Amino acid sequence: MFLGAHESIAGNIHKSIDRALDDNCESMQIFVKNANRWKGKKLPEKEIDQFVQGLSTLGKDKVCAHSSYLINMASSKNDIRSKSFLAMEDELGRCDKLTIPYFVVHPGAHTGAGETAGLNNIVSMIDDLYNKNNFECIILLETTSGTGTNLGYDLNQLSYIIDNSVYPGKLGICLDSCHMYAAGYDLKNDYENVINETFDRFGKKIKVIHLNDTKYDFATKKDRHEFIGKGYLGKEFFEKVINDYRFENVLGILETPENEDCTYKKQLAYLKNLRS
Ligand SMILES: [Zn+2]
């Protein structure tokens, strides 16, 4: 596993690489624009060049982007759909310019329309995106905790999206340990069965795992990240997952920075110490 973290792009997108190297990351996740807005300011060519050059130190296959938070591909509402489509198009385009190969997105919330309608909305948006654009970047569907009407808490739902899209080759998977445990996949007490099932199903499509511990106990559907080893998942789980050969080429991304200085140094050092 290539251990890394979600790094800030504050100041200049290129600074994320400096932050990652400073934290001793082997991989990195970033937002490609302000994560709380529909629209972002255009990336200056110079910043793009700096970022692409800087990536050679980390390796361009060691980086992924995470979508902004307002996007909801599962929505049946026209205004949300058109805004989500434009934001997806913009962010995937940014990834291509920045030579980022993977774009992690939460499948979305059906907000009352029903799960099947929501899943079909996601499929049709993905197909429209790749029908209209020749994006290199592939979409990684993230496992979610199942809060509210959010889809993606059940692996069958992620399979449904991949199986029904006309672009299965443009779709991959991002696991999240906190979300899966909250959704009812017992990574703590039933690690082998859960991970076997997950790899039997998705295999090499699994490109990223978000390494988050959790503040809430099993199957509570609550999405609250905790520092590595300090939550309900605990040290043993992380020791297993980072040493699991099936995750050899997967990016392991921390998303909960240390409070005082917003770095990941201590947690990354802790994880690297668990390597056997
Ligand atoms: Zn996420």
Side-chain angles (χ1 to χ4, degrees):
M1 188 181 290
F2 298 101
L3 293 172
H6 182 101
E7 296 289 358
S8 162
I9 57 165
N12 173 333
I13 202 155
H14 170 261
K15 286 190 180 162
S16 60
I17 301 172
D18 301 336
R19 292 178 179 117
L21 295 175
D22 198 51
D23 279 340
N24 300 313
C25 286
E26 299 158 349
S27 66
M28 174 177 83
Q29 175 178 279
I30 57 168
F31 293 123
V32 287
K33 70 177 198 356
N34 184 320
N36 298 307
R37 303 259 166 89
W38 283 112
K39 287 182 184 157
K41 70 170 174 66
K42 201 173 176 288
L43 282 174
E45 291 300 322
K46 198 175 150 223
E47 284 190 29
I48 294 171
D49 291 346
Q50 278 181 316
F51 183 88
V52 172
Q53 277 171 27
L55 268 194
S56 58
T57 50
L58 210 57
K60 83 167 200 186
D61 55 338
K62 306 295 187 309
V63 61
C64 63
H66 193 294
S67 76
S68 59
Y69 292 126
L70 299 173
I71 290 173
N72 182 6
M73 296 195 294
S75 178
S76 293
K77 293 176 187 135
N78 282 336
D79 59 328
I80 301 293
R81 288 194 72 67
S82 59
K83 283 181 187 160
S84 295
F85 184 87
L86 290 173
M88 285 291 293
E89 216 172 27
D90 172 54
E91 292 178 32
L92 283 163
R94 287 168 189 253
C95 287
D96 272 6
K97 281 191 175 158
L98 295 164
T99 68
I100 297 173
Y102 311 124
F103 184 69
V104 177
V105 63
H106 300 183
H110 65 75
T111 63
E115 294 197 336
T116 309
L119 290 169
N120 289 331
N121 286 338
I122 297 166
V123 171
S124 85
M125 187 167 302
I126 289 168
D127 287 350
D128 285 350
L129 282 162
Y130 288 104
N131 278 338
K132 251 189 88 182
N133 302 276
N134 275 320
F135 294 127
E136 285 275 322
C137 185
I138 72 167
I139 291 174
L140 303 186
L141 302 164
E142 183 174 347
T143 57
T144 65
S145 55
T147 310
T149 64
N150 276 290
L151 298 163
Y153 61 86
D154 181 338
L155 298 183
N156 286 312
Q157 296 173 337
L158 302 182
S159 292
Y160 181 94
I161 298 168
I162 294 171
D163 293 345
N164 284 284
S165 169
V166 292
Y167 295 100
K170 288 290 184 188
L171 295 170
I173 297 291
C174 169
L175 306 176
D176 182 306
S177 51
C178 165
H179 298 171
M180 283 182 82
Y181 191 65
Y185 290 97
D186 196 350
L187 290 168
K188 187 182 174 126
N189 300 302
D190 199 18
Y191 177 88
E192 275 306 318
N193 283 328
V194 172
I195 294 301
N196 282 344
E197 187 204 335
T198 309
F199 273 90
D200 280 351
R201 201 183 265 267
F202 300 119
K204 286 197 169 18
K205 283 200 174 294
I206 301 166
K207 304 292 187 193
V208 176
I209 179 168
H210 290 158
L211 297 171
N212 296 305
D213 211 327
T214 171
K215 283 188 197 293
Y216 289 99
D217 208 348
F218 180 60
T220 48
K221 303 225 160 193
K222 286 183 176 156
D223 175 10
R224 290 290 301 281
H225 298 172
E226 176 58 285
F227 297 125
I228 300 296
K230 300 242 167 89
Y232 279 94
L233 277 167
K235 181 183 165 189
E236 262 176 60
F237 161 73
F238 290 101
E239 194 163 12
K240 273 185 213 162
V241 73
I242 66 157
N243 290 303
D244 189 327
Y245 71 96
R246 289 165 291 192
F247 287 100
E248 199 177 4
N249 293 311
V250 171
L251 316 185
I253 300 290
L254 302 181
E255 295 188 307
T256 316
E258 281 127 38
N259 289 332
E260 332 77 86
D261 53 1
C262 272
T263 74
Y264 297 87
K265 274 197 186 95
K266 278 186 225 152
Q267 292 183 90
L268 279 168
Y270 174 90
L271 282 179
K272 286 182 184 176
N273 260 323
L274 297 178
R275 275 179 171 158
S276 55

